[in-house]
Amino acid sequence: MNIKTDNILDNKWWQEVAVVIFSFTIYTLKNDWMLFSSFISILMGIFFYCVLYMHAQFNRFFLLPILFKTRKPVSYIILTLFGVFVFSVLLYELTTLDMFSNCRLYQNSHQRSYVYQLASVLGTLVCILSPIIVFKFYRIHRKQTNETLLFNEMQLNSLKGQLNPHFLFNTFNTLYGISLEFPDRTPDLIMKVSQLMRYQLESNNKKCVTLEEELEFINSYVQLEKERVGYRCEITYDCKIDNENAYKVSPMLLIAFIENAFKHGTCAIEKCFVRIIVTVENGLLHLHVVNSIPEKKTDVVSTKIGLKNTIERLNLLYGKDYKLDIQNNKNTYIVDLKLQLKKFRE
């Protein structure tokens, strides 16, 4: 079975296997395993390697974050040296036990010293952490590259679809009809259309916007839809945020689900409904959109590119920090999105 190089580089499990094989090979060569004639000696060698590997993993998961996340190199160096000292003493004490007396590993006098164990712990730490850090920065670089490519694609798609002829036709028809019967409401509606178009144009050059900006855009869109189909469609929009101006989100990320609800849920003369609920608690955004499915509906032209691109963006930008559940029942279409938002730095 052939495995592509890209898959190996992107797969964390294959990376772990590669690191173990590399460090274990260096360890065996250092201790001249080809001279071992006893199966017990080999088992003891594996045991000592496991101790060294545990030390490296302890440094990786508990000490490296001090360097990369909190940016405290001095604290990391001090704690690393302390960890190396503790594990070297542990290995030295293990070699003095009676159970290792018949093992050909660490039999030479220089191998029984503190200095040798210190060098073993430090050398193994470098052999294990070095490729792990290289793989980590490779994944970060790969992710940033993919984000840039997707961002550019989003800009192109947004420029192509921001002046949706069908949407503008319905909007200006609504404006014209209301201006004849309720001229006092026309200025407010024109302002909402202006806000929609301005947000679409300005957000194209941004990777993220405040959550309030995105929700204001959604609210303006919902208000226009109320003017267009509110006389025959029950439209509910409810939004609750626990901490205002604290979160950021990728622009135009939520509108696809809402636009889809109006597009397919109001494509009939019969009574229908669209319900939108947005809540944010402790940084967790919950978008719940439900729309009715008309029994007799007109044909709606849909390429489903909007939903597809939105899901791809969710996968790339948020990874495992989101959950999307879409249910297409007989009478209703339900979208349930839970998304862990990113916070603005203080």
Side-chain angles (χ1 to χ4, degrees):
M1 180 178 180
N2 295 326
I3 301 175
K4 294 182 179 180
T5 304
D6 288 344
N7 291 337
I8 296 177
L9 292 175
D10 291 334
N11 190 298
K12 291 184 178 182
W13 291 109
W14 281 112
Q15 292 172 7
E16 292 292 336
V17 171
V19 170
V20 170
I21 293 175
F22 171 76
S23 58
F24 189 76
T25 301
I26 298 298
Y27 177 76
T28 57
L29 293 176
K30 178 181 72 71
N31 290 284
D32 296 326
W33 277 40
M34 67 284 297
L35 300 178
F36 290 177
S37 58
S38 171
F39 180 73
I40 298 298
S41 297
I42 295 177
L43 290 179
M44 293 304 169
I46 294 175
F47 172 80
F48 276 102
Y49 171 79
C50 289
V51 174
L52 295 171
Y53 184 79
M54 288 173 55
H55 166 253
Q57 294 302 315
F58 173 83
N59 189 290
R60 172 187 179 182
F61 290 107
F62 294 96
L63 301 185
L64 271 182
I66 298 176
L67 178 63
F68 290 121
K69 294 183 178 180
T70 63
R71 301 180 185 277
K72 297 179 180 179
V74 177
S75 299
Y76 170 73
I77 292 174
I78 293 175
L79 291 174
T80 296
L81 292 177
F82 177 76
V84 169
F85 174 77
V86 170
F87 273 82
S88 62
V89 172
L90 175 63
L91 284 178
Y92 176 82
E93 295 299 327
L94 287 175
T95 59
T96 61
L97 297 178
D98 294 335
M99 61 183 297
F100 298 112
S101 59
N102 296 325
C103 174
R104 297 191 58 179
L105 192 64
Y106 300 137
Q107 289 299 309
N108 296 329
S109 58
H110 71 281
Q111 291 179 328
R112 293 268 182 170
S113 64
Y114 278 113
V115 177
Y116 183 86
Q117 301 303 334
L118 185 69
S120 296
V121 174
L122 188 59
T124 307
L125 178 65
V126 172
C127 288
I128 293 177
L129 286 189
S130 296
I132 287 176
I133 294 175
V134 170
F135 283 132
K136 179 180 179 66
F137 279 103
Y138 168 82
R139 290 195 300 269
I140 293 175
H141 176 73
R142 184 68 176 267
K143 182 179 180 181
Q144 291 174 343
T145 302
N146 290 338
E147 287 180 355
T148 302
L149 292 175
L150 191 63
F151 178 69
N152 293 336
E153 182 182 350
M154 182 190 71
Q155 284 184 303
L156 293 175
N157 292 333
S158 182
L159 287 173
K160 293 177 182 178
Q162 63 186 246
L163 295 178
N164 188 314
H166 182 69
F167 174 76
L168 288 178
F169 175 77
N170 287 331
T171 301
F172 285 119
N173 258 351
T174 301
L175 289 175
Y176 176 73
I178 292 176
S179 66
L180 294 178
E181 297 185 27
F182 309 99
D184 57 321
R185 296 168 58 186
T186 305
D188 185 55
L189 291 177
I190 293 176
M191 182 58 65
K192 283 183 169 58
V193 174
S194 173
Q195 291 173 349
L196 286 174
M197 297 179 67
R198 175 177 295 181
Y199 182 82
Q200 286 178 317
L201 288 170
E202 292 180 351
S203 64
N204 279 323
N205 298 319
K206 300 178 181 179
K207 287 190 175 182
C208 65
V209 295
T210 64
L211 179 62
E212 284 70 21
E213 289 176 319
E214 181 78 1
L215 295 179
E216 181 62 29
F217 170 74
I218 292 174
N219 181 61
S220 297
Y221 178 81
V222 171
Q223 294 305 317
L224 283 176
E225 290 291 348
K226 283 185 178 181
E227 297 295 340
R228 184 173 69 89
V229 296
Y231 67 95
R232 60 180 175 83
C233 182
E234 176 194 344
I235 301 175
T236 304
Y237 176 67
D238 186 36
C239 179
K240 294 181 181 179
I241 306 176
D242 63 348
N243 192 359
E244 294 186 356
N245 300 316
Y247 306 110
K248 58 183 178 179
V249 67
S250 183
M252 307 294 290
L253 188 66
L254 307 177
I255 190 63
F257 301 112
I258 297 169
E259 186 179 13
N260 188 70
F262 282 105
K263 182 185 297 183
H264 298 281
T266 62
C267 57
I269 303 299
E270 62 189 80
K271 284 288 184 177
C272 53
F273 66 85
V274 175
R275 297 169 188 150
I276 305 165
I277 302 176
V278 181
T279 59
V280 179
E281 294 183 2
N282 298 322
L284 181 65
L285 182 145
H286 185 191
L287 172 67
H288 187 73
V289 183
V290 184
N291 64 268
S292 57
I293 300 178
E295 294 182 4
K296 297 180 180 180
K297 57 182 179 179
T298 58
D299 292 334
V300 178
V301 178
S302 177
T303 59
K304 297 184 179 180
I305 292 178
L307 284 177
K308 179 181 178 182
N309 285 349
T310 300
I311 294 174
E312 289 180 358
R313 289 172 61 198
L314 284 169
N315 288 330
L316 185 58
L317 296 174
Y318 295 94
K320 297 181 179 179
D321 293 332
Y322 88 96
K323 181 179 180 182
L324 177 63
D325 183 27
I326 298 178
Q327 300 178 24
N328 190 355
N329 301 323
K330 182 179 180 180
N331 300 318
T332 58
Y333 187 87
I334 304 173
V335 174
D336 197 78
L337 172 66
K338 293 182 180 179
L339 175 66
Q340 188 64 47
L341 296 173
K342 298 177 182 178
K343 287 188 175 182
F344 282 105
R345 292 183 178 179
E346 298 293 339

